[in-house]
Amino acid sequence: MLTGQSQHRLPGRVATRPLAGSYPSAVAIALLALSPFIVLSTATQLLQTELMSDLAASVFGVELAGALANAGYAFGAVLAADLIRRVPTRWLYVGCEFAFAAGSVVCATSNGLTQFVFGRTLQGLATGMLLVAALPPLVTRFGVERLPLTAAFVNLGLFGMVTLGPLVGGVTATALAWRWLFAGTAVLALIGAGLGVLGFDAGDDAAPRAGFDWSAVPVAAAATVLPFTAVAWIARSGFTSPVFLTMLVVGALFLGLLLLRQYRKSEPLMPLKLISHTMPLTGLGIAMLAGAAVTALVELSVLYLTKVAGATPLVCGSVLATQVLGVIVAAWLFKRFLPTRWLPAYAFVGLGVVALGSGVLLLLSPDDAVIVTAIAGLLLGFGAGAGVAPALFMAGLSAPSNRLGPTFALVELLRAEAAFLVAPVVAQAAPLAASLADGVRLGALSLLGLCLAGGAVLLVLLLLGGVRPHAPDLPRWIGGEEPAYNSPRVAAAVRSDGGEHRLA
């Protein structure tokens, strides 16, 4: 049955919803929860000109809308981890779908920038909360046999939709139909709400009582809103602006404070200590590196195609649609590798392919831009699907499944901070070079170095942990109380006190 984190029920209540326990409906619920916002996150780059014209907005205004949407997504996951302890999961899910629909309608009917920014922020906040409400039940409630297939669907739903965004944006920009795009996402959200009413277990009416976590939620708000706003501010005042530097530094300090307090707390909202050992830290590092690099490289590709090669938004989106093929292949292989001992190796391969994609972009020239970006897109799509999703599951399988929601909240907070902060900075820095073409190549070279250096550090971390290749114990993990991986402590192979994994 599709239920939330809690399995507490009121006496005498039974599952009466027509679609409760249906695997296809659970997949649809999760995809409808996440996919619309994820598509928009990469589609809006090709809609910037139309948005600026119709909303009488500056580049900064449009960047701010995207930045606060991404901040809302990262913060929403943390907020949901807190609310899920008191609010029945099905009502949280349905409420968030209605909130997303409302945000979409606000965007579609916007007459000015303020209204559009509010709508986008509401969309992001709702989607971050939906991640915690919809994804863990799909992963944990349908047994070990379906888990690899579920992981493939999650891969396609998260990263497949990211790769589809440029094509959707290109088609929408050509048709001058951005308002209809947002209206369409409202319809999808209402369909998702309807499925949630029909598909969640009617017995899921009780949740454990827990107070509001003042040590996490307000700090997480500052740790997301400040740095994301700072990155948008670059478009207004540049990298040397005191406002940009202050917001970025203060936001980073709040993020550090959040992580420190969660690590030291005896009953934390997010289980940082549970995943502070070799296997999940390696996975989290790969996810952050690969996710940030792919997001930034796609933005650089769009910049080059539209501003240097003179491609139309439709051509640009069509060329980058090769990402979709790459992520489909990666998702199929992910399904095969998940139950085996080779999942960590597959995640490293994904990061390596992202590095290869950045290297291909160094070959860009106006005459060969289409073919080069098409090849790079194929590699980046595969790298996202093979690097980020497997790495996230390395972290998720290293904590008990009954803590999967808060674990996903923590992992997505950190991954979003990396991906949605690095990409705008790289894109904003590209025009500062001698030419935009040189700036794009310099950005690709920087990301190539980041992937290679970061991958080397993470490989050393894995080796120092003394991790022996082993398959995850998925039946034990589905049980709810134990991790799937026997992950040693950091540097266990060279520690004098050993390094057995403990659920501390």
Side-chain angles (χ1 to χ4, degrees):
M1 288 174 285
L2 182 55
T3 63
Q5 297 303 301
S6 170
Q7 299 186 48
H8 295 265
R9 298 181 180 180
L10 292 178
R13 298 300 298 272
V14 295
T16 59
R17 303 294 171 179
L19 298 178
S22 167
Y23 181 70
S25 70
V27 173
I29 284 171
L31 295 183
L32 286 169
L34 303 176
S35 298
F37 177 79
I38 291 172
V39 169
L40 289 174
S41 68
T42 50
T44 48
Q45 187 181 6
L46 288 168
L47 299 173
Q48 189 175 80
T49 301
E50 286 72 25
L51 292 172
M52 291 170 59
S53 175
D54 290 354
L55 301 175
S58 63
V59 174
F60 165 70
V62 176
E63 292 285 345
L64 181 64
L68 290 181
N70 294 330
Y73 173 78
F75 171 66
V78 179
L79 179 60
D82 180 80
L83 291 177
I84 207 79
R85 302 185 299 174
R86 293 183 300 281
V87 180
T89 309
R90 65 190 178 108
W91 294 126
L92 183 64
Y93 174 88
V94 171
C96 288
E97 283 285 35
F98 277 118
F100 185 91
S104 297
V105 171
V106 168
C107 290
T109 59
S110 293
N111 295 318
L113 179 64
T114 301
Q115 189 178 351
F116 185 76
V117 169
F118 175 77
R120 289 289 286 138
T121 305
L122 184 57
Q123 283 184 322
L125 180 65
T127 303
M129 297 174 71
L130 286 166
L131 173 83
V132 175
L135 210 53
L138 172 63
V139 173
T140 61
R141 302 302 185 194
F142 293 94
V144 174
E145 295 78 13
R146 279 186 167 146
L147 186 55
L149 179 61
T150 299
F153 279 128
V154 171
N155 199 339
L156 291 174
L158 288 173
F159 307 106
M161 295 302 108
V162 167
T163 62
L164 191 61
L167 178 60
V168 172
V171 172
T172 304
T174 302
L176 302 177
W178 68 268
R179 294 184 187 274
W180 287 105
L181 174 62
F182 281 94
T185 61
V187 173
L188 291 175
L190 292 176
I191 294 173
L195 282 176
V197 171
L198 297 174
F200 274 90
D201 189 340
D204 183 28
D205 285 335
R209 296 182 178 274
F212 183 78
D213 194 333
W214 291 101
S215 71
V217 178
V219 180
T224 51
V225 172
L226 287 174
F228 281 97
T229 304
V231 170
W233 200 270
I234 298 171
R236 181 170 183 170
S237 302
F239 287 92
T240 59
S241 166
V243 176
F244 160 70
L245 295 173
T246 300
M247 286 193 293
L248 186 65
V249 171
V250 174
L253 290 175
F254 271 110
L255 179 61
L257 176 63
L258 173 66
L259 297 178
L260 178 62
R261 296 181 76 170
Q262 290 298 292
Y263 184 85
R264 299 183 64 178
K265 223 178 162 183
S266 58
E267 295 184 6
L269 177 63
M270 296 175 290
L272 181 58
K273 186 173 286 189
L274 280 179
I275 62 171
S276 295
H277 44 92
T278 301
M279 187 76 83
L281 287 180
T282 302
L284 180 57
I286 293 174
M288 293 173 67
L289 276 175
V294 168
T295 304
L297 290 165
V298 170
E299 289 204 19
L300 290 176
S301 299
V302 170
L303 271 178
Y304 195 95
L305 284 170
T306 56
K307 304 297 184 183
V308 179
T312 65
L314 181 59
V315 170
C316 181
S318 301
V319 169
L320 288 172
T322 55
Q323 294 180 92
V324 179
L325 177 59
V327 81
I328 289 174
V329 174
W332 180 79
L333 290 173
F334 181 30
K335 176 178 177 291
R336 302 293 298 270
F337 283 123
L338 178 66
T340 74
R341 60 179 178 171
W342 302 113
L343 184 64
Y346 185 52
F348 274 103
V349 168
L351 180 59
V353 173
V354 172
L356 181 60
S358 62
V360 169
L361 288 179
L362 297 177
L363 305 176
L364 277 170
S365 69
D367 293 335
D368 299 327
V370 169
I371 185 63
V372 170
T373 49
I375 295 171
L378 180 66
L379 295 171
L380 294 177
F382 182 87
V388 184
L392 292 177
F393 269 79
M394 285 173 60
L397 293 173
S398 297
S401 63
N402 60 12
R403 297 289 286 158
L404 188 60
T407 301
F408 272 167
L410 174 62
V411 169
E412 278 299 286
L413 168 68
L414 296 176
R415 189 188 70 83
E417 291 267 5
F420 296 128
L421 290 179
V422 170
V425 169
V426 172
Q428 293 283 356
L432 301 179
S435 67
L436 182 57
D438 289 340
V440 168
R441 282 189 286 268
L442 182 59
L445 181 62
S446 301
L447 292 165
L448 171 61
L450 179 65
C451 288
L452 294 178
V457 170
L458 292 171
L459 181 59
V460 170
L461 173 65
L462 192 67
L463 295 175
L464 287 179
V467 178
R468 295 180 179 178
H470 63 283
D473 190 339
L474 297 179
R476 182 179 69 177
W477 183 76
I478 287 291
E481 300 295 333
E482 297 289 337
Y485 281 118
N486 295 315
S487 176
R489 297 168 63 187
V490 174
V494 295
R495 292 170 68 114
S496 59
D497 59 347
E500 291 298 320
H501 169 56
R502 294 181 299 167
L503 286 175

